[in-house]
Amino acid sequence: MIACIVLAAGASTRLGRPKQLLSLGGRPLLAWVLAAARGATFNQMVLVLGHDAELIRGALDLSGFDVVVNERYAEGMSLSLRLGLETVRSAMAATVVMVGDQPFIESAHLVALKETWENTGESMIATDFGAYRGPPMMLARSVWPLIDEIRGDQGARALLRVRPGSVLAVEVRDSRAALDVDTEEAYATARELVGG
C-alpha cells in the first residue's frame, strides 16, 4: 500500500502571507495540491501544516487527510517530513512526498510515480522536470531512516545527493509543473497560467 505526504507547514517568509491560501483560479493554492493527491487514490494521505495551521484548516476542505501540525515549523522542512513519515501507518510500503506550493502537479503524474515503483521496486523515484529532479518523490520504506540525517529547511530532494546517479526519475508531462509558488513573481506567473 502507498501513502502520500503533503508538506505545507512553511511560514511563506518570501511572500509575507500564507501561500497555502493564495487564490488561484478561484480556489486556494493548497487546494490544487490536495486535489491532485485525492485523484491519485492513495491508501493514506497525510497533510503536514505548521504556520497559520488553524487558519488553513478553516479555509480548506481537508477531508480524507490525516492532518498533523508541526509546531516547530521554523526549524524547517526536514522536521515536517519526519512528522509526516511518523504519521504514515505501518501497512504502507512507500509514500509519495509532495510540497504544497506546486499547484500544477497532476494526479496522472502521481499515478505514474506509483506505477513506476510497483513495476521496478526502486527505493527512490524522483520527478524529472528537465532542468532538475525533485519532488514529488516516491520513497520506499527502506529509505525512510535516511530522513533522520536531513536537517534544516531540506526535504526529500536532499536524498538525491545520497545516490545522485542511481535514482530513477519519471518525466513530468505538463511544463507548468516545475513552478513553485514561493514569490510574488511566481504567483503572478501561476495566475497567468490559469488565466487570472
Side-chain angles (χ1 to χ4, degrees):
M1 291 197 288
I2 302 173
C4 175
I5 299 171
V6 178
L7 303 176
S12 310
T13 51
R14 281 186 280 181
L15 267 167
R17 52 189 168 139
K19 62 184 171 183
Q20 300 93 329
L21 299 179
L22 292 174
S23 179
L24 185 63
R27 55 184 172 148
L29 175 74
L30 182 57
W32 289 67
V33 180
L34 302 184
R38 287 188 182 105
T41 58
F42 290 98
N43 300 106
Q44 181 187 9
M45 297 183 296
V46 176
L47 172 63
V48 184
L49 296 178
H51 189 259
D52 285 327
E54 291 311 309
L55 185 64
I56 294 165
R57 276 185 195 265
L60 276 84
D61 172 14
L62 304 182
S63 59
F65 284 83
D66 296 324
V67 180
V68 60
V69 177
N70 178 8
E71 302 288 356
R72 295 157 50 197
Y73 60 85
E75 294 179 28
M77 192 184 298
S78 59
L79 180 57
S80 292
L81 180 52
R82 284 197 291 278
L83 285 173
L85 289 171
E86 289 168 7
T87 308
V88 172
R89 294 192 293 268
S90 60
M92 303 298 144
T95 187
V96 168
V97 177
M98 304 176 69
V99 289
D101 59 2
Q102 290 181 315
F104 300 117
I105 294 293
E106 297 180 339
S107 299
H109 179 69
L110 302 176
V111 170
L113 287 172
K114 288 168 53 176
E115 290 177 345
T116 301
W117 178 74
E118 288 164 347
N119 292 333
T120 66
E122 286 290 328
S123 58
M124 285 194 281
I125 304 169
T127 294
D128 183 353
F129 292 104
Y132 69 97
R133 292 177 171 187
M137 284 179 61
M138 170 69 79
L139 302 178
R141 184 174 283 275
S142 62
V143 300
W144 295 3
L146 296 176
I147 301 296
D148 289 336
E149 307 302 316
I150 299 173
R151 292 289 180 269
D153 200 27
Q154 299 183 89
R157 191 175 177 190
L159 294 179
L160 296 178
R161 292 192 287 273
V162 177
R163 291 185 300 176
S166 62
V167 177
L168 272 187
V170 176
E171 185 177 350
V172 75
R173 294 182 182 176
D174 188 339
S175 60
R176 304 175 304 167
L179 182 65
D180 293 329
V181 181
D182 52 11
T183 64
E184 289 292 348
E185 292 77 15
Y187 179 38
T189 298
R191 284 183 295 174
E192 288 173 12
L193 290 171
V194 296

